[in-house]
Amino acid sequence: MPLDASDEALPDSAGAQAEEEAGEPAAGIEFVTPEEARAFYCAYAARAGFRVRSSKSFASRVDDAIIMRRFVCTRQGRPSRKDTLDASKKRRNRSSARAGCPAMLQVNRRPGAAGARWVVSRCVLEHSHPIGGDRADAGDTGSPKECSNDWLPEGQNCNGNAEPFHRAAALAPGGSIAQSLLDHFKKMQLDNPAFCYAVQLDRNGCLANAIWVDARARSLYRWFGDAVAFDLTCRRNRRAVPFVAFTGLNHHRQVIVFGCALMTDESEDSFAWLFETWLAFMGGRKPTSFTMGYNKAVEIAAMRVFGDVKHRFCRRDIFSICKQKLASLYSEHPTLKLELKECVTELERIDQFESTWRMLLNKYNLFGNEWLQTIFSIRHQWVPVYLKDSFFGELFNAPKLETMFKFFQRNSIAMTSLRDTAFQFDKAIARQYQNELQEDFVTFSSKPVMNTSHPMEKQSSELYTKVMFELFQEELIESSGLLVLKVESGKISKFEVTKSEIGNIRYIVVYNEPGVSVSCSCHKFEFAGILCRHALRVLIAIGMQDLPENYILKRWTRNAKRSIFSLVPENSKGPLAWRCNDLCHDAIRFAEKGATSEEIYRTAKEALQKAFSEILPQRGVHLK
């Protein structure tokens, strides 16, 4: 399947070791990686006096792996008739750098006994224009970046290194697009000083990666930054721009964005730069858990930056790759796909999972399947049964969450240029924020329907958001169908909980009376943040009327964001609480705008004082 690489930004391997005295390109030369081939061609181009950009790639129809890379002169192609970036802007009349130059180097992957090699399959040395005047500056060998420094800790200041970026804008193909992206970021920061961004350039001074985080994302991270996912779904889709995002879940189980980036370089060092920069923007506070797509470079970079944070590969991502790797097997054995999924997601004990996995391999004669061997060898990094002692906020009986690629589709975000993508995405996120306010309103204004007479149900309906209450309510209702047997007595009691119709499935629940703590062998609370039906059955059996406070995770409650604004009593609900919540959101935006300059600050302060002095006394309210 053909892939058209972005002209706006060029990937470059920071670790490539192409020597200046390397020979002239020729068919048949072999390289270990395509990045090594690109570095070789760039070194040749620097000596000859022209510049290089990445052009087309091809992916295998079997496993979607890249099998061809093409590198061309920056003057390849013809001038565009239309500026797709922003047709409303006036443009200066200037000539295009494109001159239909045929110079190029193409490498194809060739399998071999010692591993795959990348071989030059096509090479054109002739140019359609004079060369020799575009040599790169001798000192341009690093990876410069421009960023807004306000949120970076000491030692990570980028020094506002704007000149290399402007040089890239002038010299690199698509540079005007790169410049307009930077202009967009600067305008966002001018509108809101809490907006922060950083840009990384490759060795040729071309835009490689860019990250941006707005004020709302920083606030959301303070409340819901315990479980973070790194979404690569747009980057994986070959029709989309190279977009990635840091995401999480709010108290309504809506997907929220903690920051996003445009990446054309998927090297380990680039991902490490991205993670370090994002973490700095978030004040250096690491999440509890980190979910990532199945990508070796991402995994190594995450280990470097996040250290002891609990990591896992995205299960959905691995199942998606299974569709490609096991396509013929799925076609031959129609039940295999479902059986594999049930084995991974439904079994709650390690011994059950491993024995069932072996049974499936034996049933379908798959012991020699390399892909299944690979994902089984890393089972501790993606199969839930090995990860249930850590919080990921995942609930298996909850609706499926939306990926960033689906978000792009749903919001009709055009895959045209980097600046357009960033602009449209930011607008879509602003619209999505209204969905959270709508869910707040529904939570505070609606009256939940009670299905049991137990006090825990009423208590949870007043604490949890509507979505989370319904999920907890299901656990409470299902607990009534379980049998409980005390097997050990004392200050610390142990219980066996079984399904009435399936007595061979047992759950062990331990209750610590002095510490008022309960734990279940299914580890649902540790993994998802709400008590399971087995633990609830034991609490009800010992006569407990209310949920212990330490098992009401604040991030799932209607007051999840009340830490900053303690303006309404904790037991408040209905229109009063919703109005307060809505005004708090407006106050945040008002404060952000009001702090942009001394003049605006004074105007905003006077407006607030006028509101307090004229409106509140009419209602009998006086502020000291």
Side-chain angles (χ1 to χ4, degrees):
M1 51 190 295
L3 315 176
D4 289 326
S6 169
D7 286 346
E8 293 90 344
L10 308 180
D12 196 0
S13 174
Q17 300 295 325
E19 299 181 357
E20 286 294 318
E21 62 269 21
E24 190 174 82
I29 298 178
E30 294 187 0
F31 302 94
V32 176
T33 66
E35 288 76 20
E36 184 179 304
R38 186 186 191 281
F40 168 83
Y41 194 46
C42 286
Y44 164 74
R47 297 194 305 275
F50 68 97
R51 291 180 176 272
V52 174
R53 66 178 172 88
S54 296
S55 182
K56 291 186 176 180
S57 300
F58 280 88
S60 169
R61 295 182 181 274
V62 177
D63 59 4
D64 206 32
I66 300 298
I67 59 174
M68 186 278 281
R69 292 286 301 276
R70 184 181 298 166
F71 311 112
V72 300
C73 172
T74 56
R75 304 192 70 176
Q76 179 265 354
R78 294 294 180 183
S80 173
R81 291 177 177 270
K82 182 179 179 182
D83 182 1
T84 60
L85 182 63
D86 191 343
S88 64
K89 285 189 174 182
K90 294 182 179 179
R91 298 179 45 148
R92 299 192 305 270
N93 292 324
R94 54 189 175 191
S95 60
S96 171
R98 303 297 177 90
C101 182
M104 53 87 73
L105 180 80
Q106 178 175 307
V107 290
N108 288 68
R109 190 179 66 176
R110 296 284 185 265
R117 305 284 290 182
W118 291 80
V119 183
V120 177
S121 58
R122 293 180 61 192
C123 180
V124 178
L125 301 181
E126 296 77 19
H127 293 260
S128 64
H129 56 92
I131 61 174
D134 288 340
R135 294 181 183 273
D137 296 337
D140 185 23
T141 58
S143 297
K145 35 187 174 303
E146 168 168 331
C147 71
S148 59
N149 298 320
D150 297 343
W151 303 102
L152 288 177
E154 186 176 356
Q156 294 191 20
N157 193 309
C158 294
N159 298 320
N161 196 359
E163 186 173 348
F165 190 94
H166 288 295
R167 183 174 60 78
L171 298 178
S176 60
I177 297 178
Q179 182 59 51
S180 68
L181 180 65
L182 181 59
D183 291 342
H184 171 67
F185 289 156
K186 288 183 175 179
K187 181 182 183 302
M188 293 287 287
Q189 190 174 67
L190 185 64
D191 292 341
N192 186 343
F195 178 89
C196 43
Y197 68 93
V199 172
Q200 187 182 43
L201 307 180
D202 67 13
R203 287 173 179 262
N204 292 328
C206 300
L207 176 65
N209 304 308
I211 176 176
W212 69 99
V213 175
D214 63 16
R216 186 178 301 126
R218 292 164 53 81
S219 295
L220 290 172
Y221 186 73
R222 288 199 298 270
W223 298 310
F224 308 112
D226 43 10
V228 174
F230 187 54
D231 191 309
L232 290 161
T233 53
C234 284
R235 189 68 184 90
R236 291 280 175 81
N237 189 287
R238 305 304 183 183
R239 298 185 303 275
V241 293
F243 179 92
V244 297
F246 297 90
T247 65
L249 292 176
N250 67 9
H251 50 330
H252 301 297
R253 293 201 82 252
Q254 296 170 316
V255 175
I256 51 178
V257 176
F258 297 134
C260 37
L262 291 163
M263 297 191 71
T264 65
D265 183 353
E266 287 194 337
S267 67
E268 176 192 326
D269 286 340
S270 286
F271 283 120
W273 170 83
L274 181 72
F275 295 159
E276 288 168 353
T277 306
W278 175 78
L279 200 59
F281 287 160
M282 294 305 180
R285 183 169 71 88
K286 296 179 181 179
T288 301
S289 64
F290 188 73
T291 301
M292 53 195 163
Y294 182 66
N295 183 299
K296 192 64 177 178
V298 172
E299 177 193 10
I300 297 174
M303 292 296 293
R304 281 171 54 183
V305 177
F306 296 117
D308 57 354
V309 172
K310 190 69 175 182
H311 301 79
R312 70 168 178 175
F313 290 124
C314 175
R315 189 173 64 257
R316 182 191 295 185
D317 194 38
I318 290 184
F319 280 141
S320 177
I321 300 174
C322 283
K323 290 181 182 178
Q324 304 165 15
K325 301 279 191 179
L326 307 176
S328 59
L329 288 172
Y330 284 170
S331 177
E332 183 180 354
H333 307 289
T335 60
L336 175 59
K337 180 179 177 180
L338 179 60
E339 287 179 293
L340 273 176
K341 187 174 182 179
E342 290 177 346
C343 175
V344 170
T345 60
E346 296 186 8
L347 299 180
E348 297 177 329
R349 295 207 317 262
I350 291 176
D351 59 334
Q352 287 178 328
F353 164 74
E354 294 187 350
S355 62
T356 304
W357 184 275
R358 287 192 295 269
M359 181 272 293
L360 287 175
L361 296 185
N362 183 64
K363 177 180 178 180
Y364 295 106
N365 192 25
L366 299 174
F367 283 101
N369 186 279
E370 186 177 344
W371 170 244
L372 290 177
Q373 289 177 356
T374 297
I375 60 177
F376 185 75
S377 69
I378 59 168
R379 60 193 181 279
H380 299 86
Q381 295 176 269
W382 70 282
V383 178
V385 72
Y386 297 96
L387 298 162
K388 287 197 171 184
D389 59 344
S390 301
F391 179 76
F392 287 94
E394 182 176 353
L395 289 158
F396 293 109
N397 57 334
K400 194 174 183 180
L401 299 174
E402 184 178 52
T403 66
M404 279 294 103
F405 181 63
K406 293 294 184 184
F407 178 81
F408 266 53
Q409 289 182 315
R410 179 168 60 83
N411 287 278
S412 302
I413 298 177
M415 314 294 185
T416 52
S417 68
L418 301 183
R419 185 263 186 187
D420 276 350
T421 299
F423 177 74
Q424 294 178 44
F425 180 81
D426 291 339
K427 290 189 68 174
I429 286 295
R431 290 194 299 268
Q432 179 139 323
Y433 180 61
Q434 300 303 315
N435 296 336
E436 179 181 330
L437 295 180
Q438 179 62 29
E439 284 298 319
D440 284 341
F441 177 78
V442 171
T443 290
F444 284 111
S445 62
S446 61
K447 185 176 181 180
V449 176
M450 300 293 111
N451 290 325
T452 75
S453 58
H454 200 279
M456 283 187 188
E457 186 178 24
K458 186 175 187 302
Q459 176 198 14
S460 61
S461 73
E462 296 173 351
L463 294 172
Y464 286 124
T465 60
K466 181 178 182 295
V467 170
M468 292 308 301
F469 166 67
E470 290 172 351
L471 291 167
F472 175 83
Q473 186 182 49
E474 181 181 351
E475 294 296 318
L476 186 65
I477 293 171
E478 291 297 324
S479 70
S480 62
L482 301 176
L483 300 178
V484 60
L485 174 66
K486 181 182 283 189
V487 293
E488 289 184 18
S489 300
K491 294 294 184 181
I492 298 179
S493 306
K494 184 179 289 186
F495 301 83
E496 276 190 0
V497 180
T498 60
K499 295 182 180 180
S500 56
E501 71 278 8
I502 312 176
N504 63 331
I505 301 180
R506 290 180 170 82
Y507 299 88
I508 304 300
V509 178
V510 177
Y511 176 68
N512 185 323
E513 184 177 356
V516 195
S517 65
V518 61
S519 63
C520 178
S521 58
C522 79
H523 295 288
K524 183 165 190 170
F525 179 78
E526 292 82 359
F527 189 71
I530 65 171
L531 275 180
C532 62
R533 59 195 65 180
H534 322 112
L536 290 172
R537 181 68 185 89
V538 169
L539 294 180
I540 293 171
I542 63 177
M544 190 168 288
Q545 297 295 300
D546 295 324
L547 275 172
E549 288 186 6
N550 49 323
Y551 293 104
I552 304 169
L553 210 61
K554 186 173 183 179
R555 62 123 46 242
W556 294 134
T557 68
R558 54 180 63 193
N559 293 324
K561 299 192 288 187
R562 191 61 55 80
S563 57
I564 293 181
F565 299 102
S566 301
L567 306 178
V568 177
E570 287 293 321
N571 60 351
S572 295
K573 53 185 182 293
L576 171 63
W578 180 84
R579 288 196 297 268
C580 177
N581 187 54
D582 189 46
L583 286 172
C584 286
H585 289 305
D586 289 341
I588 291 175
R589 293 199 297 272
F590 188 80
E592 290 171 349
K593 297 288 186 183
T596 55
S597 72
E598 184 66 29
E599 182 181 357
I600 297 176
Y601 166 77
R602 288 196 299 268
T603 303
K605 191 75 172 177
E606 291 171 1
L608 283 174
Q609 291 172 342
K610 182 177 181 181
F612 288 144
S613 62
E614 294 183 2
I615 300 175
L616 297 181
Q618 298 176 10
R619 300 289 182 178
V621 178
H622 298 276
L623 298 180
K624 295 182 179 180

